Amino acid sequence: ISEKALGPDHPGVARILNSVAPDFGAKYRFLAERGLLDIETRKGKMQGGYQSPLPESRLPFILSNGSGRDQDIVVLCHEMGHAMHTLLCRDEPLLEYRAPPIEFAEVASIGMEFMAHEHLDEIYTGENLRSAREKRLERTLGTFLAVAKVDRFQR
């Protein structure tokens, strides 16, 4: 994929998120306009991605360093799931309610991955779209198998 699909000037991810829900696309642009997305690939920058709430502003900051593959889109959508959760909870008066407990933290992010997956046609076509969808299915099945192994071990 092109880094242009990720960047705020060429918002492929914004189009995906906007297709999921117009408010999600707007929140992505909101973060991009405020410099809260560090998603450009740079030498020496750690691989992968993370989202961190900024304590004073209660806004999310996303760092992502892609490798030019479709997994970059998945990572950014995943981190946007965390960011949406942060944005939706930022005005919660009870501090304890602003961040999810560890056993719930991945629900919003993995949910965003699945919702975004339905709209990959915003940036992919033909064989690339089919391949991206197949890879998503393979990752999902792999996750279910890993969870089943852990569950079996714990029992």
Side-chain angles (χ1 to χ4, degrees), residues 5-6 8 13 16 19 24 46-48 61 64 70 78 81 83 99-100 104 110 123-124 132 147 149 151 153 155:
L6 297 175
V13 171
I16 289 173
S19 292
F24 291 171
M46 71 176 242
Q47 284 297 113
F61 174 80
S64 179
D70 71 321
H78 178 97
F104 191 77
I110 293 173
I123 55 175
Y124 294 122
V147 168
K149 276 180 166 178
D151 189 52
F153 175 76
R155 287 175 188 255

Side-chain angles (χ1 to χ4, degrees), residues 129-144:
L129 178 60
R130 188 189 67 71
S131 176
R133 287 185 169 158
E134 278 182 10
K135 287 177 186 172
R136 174 76 240 174
L137 180 59
E138 288 171 6
R139 283 190 300 268
T140 300
L141 292 173
T143 299
F144 286 149

Side-chain angles (χ1 to χ4, degrees), residues 89-153:
C89 294
R90 74 185 288 236
D91 293 327
E92 173 57 50
L94 294 174
L95 181 62
E96 295 82 14
Y97 288 0
R98 288 188 199 147
I102 192 70
E103 62 273 6
F104 191 77
E106 295 303 309
V107 172
S109 56
I110 293 173
M112 183 64 80
E113 284 183 40
F114 279 101
M115 290 187 294
H117 174 77
E118 295 298 316
H119 302 279
L120 290 178
D121 57 343
E122 291 290 340
I123 55 175
Y124 294 122
T125 59
E127 179 61 27
N128 290 335
L129 178 60
R130 188 189 67 71
S131 176
R133 287 185 169 158
E134 278 182 10
K135 287 177 186 172
R136 174 76 240 174
L137 180 59
E138 288 171 6
R139 283 190 300 268
T140 300
L141 292 173
T143 299
F144 286 149
L145 291 172
V147 168
K149 276 180 166 178
V150 170
D151 189 52
R152 170 83 172 144
F153 175 76

Side-chain angles (χ1 to χ4, degrees), residues 62-76:
I62 293 177
L63 179 129
S64 179
N65 191 28
S67 56
R69 293 188 235 162
D70 71 321
Q71 183 63 18
D72 300 348
I73 300 292
V74 175
V75 168
L76 187 52

